[in-house]
Amino acid sequence: DTLWDLAIAEVEKRKNPDDDDAKPGEVWEKSILFMGNKNGRILTKLSYFSLHREESPKPTLALEYTFGRRARRHNTPKDLAHFWELGGGTSLVELIRIPITSQNIRSFAVVLVLDLSKPNELWTTMENLLQVTRNHVNKILTKLEKTNPEVAAEIKQRMQNNLQRDHPDYELVDPFPIPLVIIGSKYDIFHEFDSEMRKIISKTLRFVSHYYGASLVFTSKSEALLLKARVLINHLAFGYDKSKSVSVDPSKPLFIPAGLDSMSQIGPPPASDSDIGKMRANTPLELWKKVFEKTFPPKRFCDLQDTKDPAQDIQYAEYEVDIMRAQKNQ
């Protein structure tokens, strides 16, 4: 047999265990895609932190991959987590088609990292990345409904389970089709903002996270805050217990696991009744967007602007290739 034959045979033998009924001795295998603002080095830092890697992380160039293994108990096979990191902000979002496939959709999750220090870019980045991801996942689910309807139904039901049927917001939310964690990075800078600005950003992200059935956590370079983000990531990657603690105080870093918030606690959009009455919105999400962008007008920026040429980066140097490139340029 060739190496490819062996690899194909191994893949065919491997099955992704369901979250709730992984059997003893069975390998748990999950995939997580990190994405967010351009130059968001927190993506790389978080994945290295969750894997206890000691080498210093480098910024993500385009789409990068690493993995981690953990043993649930002594003398048991190690569970496997695949970590993908999308660089370039929204400019390279089409690359999500590579890691998210019909083969691994049952065991896939997304971590969206938003830069709290740049509120004028926040909604645009969030909307673009989640919209493209959701469209791609929905296309996969549409195909699965024809080829494997049981799996498609299971994925949809799993996301509905984030909220109990007796939750007052059960009919008001629109869960993201796969597990989602939203991380607000650079909390140390955000904490210096005016209290009213912090309140608007915090309430908006609480609403968006609750609406999508996502977990929300604010973090920074502080190891104590990174640890909270790591708890959520380890839950997605290795099935560790999800924390039941909640922090909704806008003067402190938010930490709200999926399903533990409510519209009544979040309250209405932070605007006067007269302003809300003038805004034409077809959905609650659209209304919150209009209110948010009134305070933080979306910044017109190009993701590709000021991007350094990776060919000039010493970490990607390859002598023969660089010589040929120099000849071509000449």
Side-chain angles (χ1 to χ4, degrees), residues 143-192:
K143 290 181 181 177
L144 280 176
E145 283 173 350
K146 298 176 182 176
T147 59
N148 199 334
E150 292 84 3
V151 170
E154 174 200 315
I155 293 170
K156 290 182 178 180
Q157 184 59 47
R158 187 185 300 168
M159 292 317 298
Q160 292 289 344
N161 290 343
N162 268 340
L163 277 189
Q164 300 297 324
R165 285 193 173 273
D166 58 356
H167 194 290
D169 302 335
Y170 188 79
E171 299 294 335
L172 302 176
V173 298
D174 184 18
F176 205 69
I178 54 179
L180 173 66
V181 170
I182 297 178
I183 295 177
S185 69
K186 299 187 182 177
Y187 177 79
D188 49 339
I189 300 174
F190 170 78
H191 188 60
E192 302 300 321

Side-chain angles (χ1 to χ4, degrees), residues 173-276:
V173 298
D174 184 18
F176 205 69
I178 54 179
L180 173 66
V181 170
I182 297 178
I183 295 177
S185 69
K186 299 187 182 177
Y187 177 79
D188 49 339
I189 300 174
F190 170 78
H191 188 60
E192 302 300 321
F193 284 7
D194 172 77
S195 61
E196 195 58 33
M197 291 173 63
R198 291 203 312 268
K199 183 180 177 182
I200 293 171
I201 295 169
S202 296
K203 282 190 71 169
T204 301
L205 287 179
R206 280 183 66 186
F207 170 79
V208 170
S209 298
H210 185 57
Y211 185 76
Y212 283 135
S215 297
L216 175 65
V217 59
F218 284 2
T219 188
S220 68
K221 294 177 182 177
S222 156
E223 287 208 2
L225 291 184
L226 280 171
L227 187 63
K228 289 196 168 190
R230 180 180 151 198
V231 167
L232 295 175
I233 293 168
N234 279 334
H235 170 70
L236 296 177
F238 300 107
Y240 288 12
D241 289 342
K242 184 167 62 173
S243 175
K244 295 292 177 66
S245 67
V246 177
S247 174
V248 296
D249 186 343
S251 65
K252 298 177 181 177
L254 297 182
F255 181 81
I256 312 172
L260 298 185
D261 211 342
S262 68
M263 298 293 188
S264 59
Q265 288 180 312
I266 296 168
S272 66
D273 291 342
S274 59
D275 283 343
I276 290 178

